[in-house]
Amino acid sequence: MTGGIPCILMRGGTSKGAYFLASDLPAEREARDALLLRVMGTPDARQIDGVGGAHPLTSKVAIVAPSADDGADVDYLFLQTGVDEAFVSDRQNCGNIIAGVGPFAVERGLVTAADGTTSVRIRMLNTGGYATATFATPGGVVDYDGELAIDGVPGTAGAIALDFQGVAGSTAGALFPTGAVRDEIDGTDVTCVDNGMPSVLFRAADLGIDPDASPAELDADAALADRLERLRLAAAERMGLGDVAGATIPKLVAIAEPRAGGALATRTFLPQGGKGFRTHTSIGVLGALTVAAGVAISDSVGAGLVTAPAPGDPFVVEHPTGHFDVDVAVERSADGWRVTRSVALRTARKLFEGTVYPRPRL
């Protein structure tokens, strides 16, 4: 494929990505991935010859199609593309990019919008879970304007309510995939949890991490990166994820007492396919839902750190650029623990719609 491809570039939550109809891309995975690397401008630290934003949070792809599942309107496949490393990974989901999937489905005619608000039921192909996105569509047209501010994004935009179902254990097999709420792995107390994003939670103090450090300061710490990778690889084996040396999961999350009136302070470390880490400038949707579920149990590594919200109030996850509010409930079940509620508010905005031209093959 050498011509242009229909594309909508969208901001979804605190991420940005290229959104495509599946029918506009090659059906064969290898050809599709090679094309997307050319579209994004990977590998190159600046992605100067593509539409990637030179950061993992802005080098993302959403592929959307009508769903063959009677319980969903559309199917959504998320792909994380490398920046200076040539990889395309489908081993994780992205709860920020999913914020744009409902509006994209309306824009592309996959879903007919109602006059007022529209709900789009999304099947997440990466993990098999579902999410319902509800957003404003006055006159049957997506309204991206609104009054909701989310930290990490300037200004305000229209609210998109994301209600996730079936995401607990969707990648690692269980909410607490090691079978325990707390483990000692590689000499560190951790909580391994998967509420849509397989993650390893640990106390910042246990690895000498300053919870007030900026992402840039943490990214510059080579010794910390080595220590995190050892922990990640060992934890992944215990979580049943196998060899993740070249994967972008599990995420690692350092937690500490709240600094600004929230429930918990976090620093999330994003694996770069075996090439170190980038510290998240905020926290992902599924990341926040996973952290909230992981520390909801009194025996987790969050014990003594979390300031529990009052009944009816959101769980406020602090991150480097502000906070992320979620509503998560966990209860004991016959075979362990189950999540009974996982809801977050996000915003999205269409940045451009048109034709993207992939660079020539290198």
Side-chain angles (χ1 to χ4, degrees):
M1 183 180 296
T2 57
I5 308 159
C7 175
I8 296 181
L9 189 71
M10 299 188 75
R11 175 186 61 77
T14 54
S15 292
K16 184 166 61 178
Y19 289 65
F20 298 96
L21 289 175
S23 56
D24 289 330
L25 296 172
E28 195 275 321
R29 176 173 179 164
E30 185 175 345
R32 179 202 70 195
D33 290 355
L35 175 66
L36 292 174
L37 290 176
R38 291 161 55 206
V39 166
M40 302 305 284
T42 301
D44 174 53
R46 297 178 299 159
Q47 292 182 311
I48 193 65
D49 208 20
V51 298
H55 191 281
L57 299 182
T58 53
S59 187
K60 299 186 173 187
V61 172
I63 301 176
V64 184
S67 182
D69 185 333
D70 292 339
D73 298 308
V74 297
D75 288 343
Y76 154 60
L77 177 68
F78 168 71
L79 297 175
Q80 177 69 61
T81 59
V83 177
D84 51 357
E85 296 291 331
F87 72 85
V88 179
S89 174
D90 65 359
R91 290 197 64 181
Q92 68 176 74
N93 209 334
C94 182
N96 272 302
I97 290 296
I98 200 175
V101 170
F104 175 85
V106 171
E107 297 273 8
R108 284 292 189 243
L110 302 182
V111 173
T112 301
D115 182 7
T117 61
T118 297
S119 292
V120 177
R121 177 83 164 165
I122 302 163
R123 180 171 66 157
M124 298 177 286
L125 296 183
N126 300 75
T127 57
Y130 295 82
T132 300
T134 302
F135 48 96
T137 52
V141 178
V142 178
D143 184 4
Y144 295 100
D145 294 331
E147 301 304 317
L148 179 63
I150 60 174
D151 288 328
V153 178
T156 64
I160 299 173
L162 296 170
D163 186 351
F164 292 89
Q165 303 94 34
V167 297
S170 53
T171 298
L175 180 62
F176 298 105
T178 69
V181 173
R182 185 192 292 236
D183 295 279
E184 182 180 325
I185 298 178
D186 197 35
T188 303
D189 281 350
V190 301
T191 290
C192 298
V193 57
D194 174 16
N195 190 27
M197 182 59 67
S199 300
V200 181
L201 315 184
F202 61 91
R203 293 172 178 252
D206 288 348
L207 265 67
I209 294 173
D210 179 358
D212 298 314
S214 69
E217 290 171 320
L218 294 171
D219 286 347
D221 191 336
L224 174 62
D226 289 342
R227 180 69 183 86
L228 291 174
E229 184 66 357
R230 293 199 308 272
L231 176 59
R232 186 178 79 91
L233 295 176
E237 289 289 341
R238 295 276 286 274
M239 295 170 75
L241 296 172
D243 182 4
V244 298
T248 56
I249 57 169
K251 309 299 189 211
L252 283 84
V253 185
I255 62 175
E257 294 178 344
R259 332 303 268 184
L264 190 69
T266 63
R267 290 293 185 272
T268 302
F269 300 93
L270 307 173
Q272 299 301 292
K275 303 294 182 179
F277 294 84
R278 296 286 289 271
T279 308
H280 207 312
T281 54
S282 54
I283 191 170
V285 176
L286 293 168
L289 293 170
T290 293
V291 168
V295 300
I297 311 305
S298 59
D299 294 335
S300 78
V301 292
L305 299 180
V306 177
T307 299
D313 287 348
F315 187 95
V316 179
V317 181
E318 298 177 2
H319 56 71
T321 50
H323 63 90
F324 193 141
D325 299 1
V326 296
D327 183 9
V328 174
V330 179
E331 65 179 30
R332 186 176 285 280
S333 64
D335 55 354
W337 299 92
R338 70 185 185 98
V339 176
T340 58
R341 188 169 59 256
S342 260
V343 180
L345 285 179
R346 292 277 84 183
T347 65
R349 192 170 79 83
K350 180 170 68 172
L351 304 179
F352 78 67
E353 178 178 3
T355 303
V356 64
Y357 293 89
R359 72 180 181 202
R361 291 179 176 84
L362 295 178

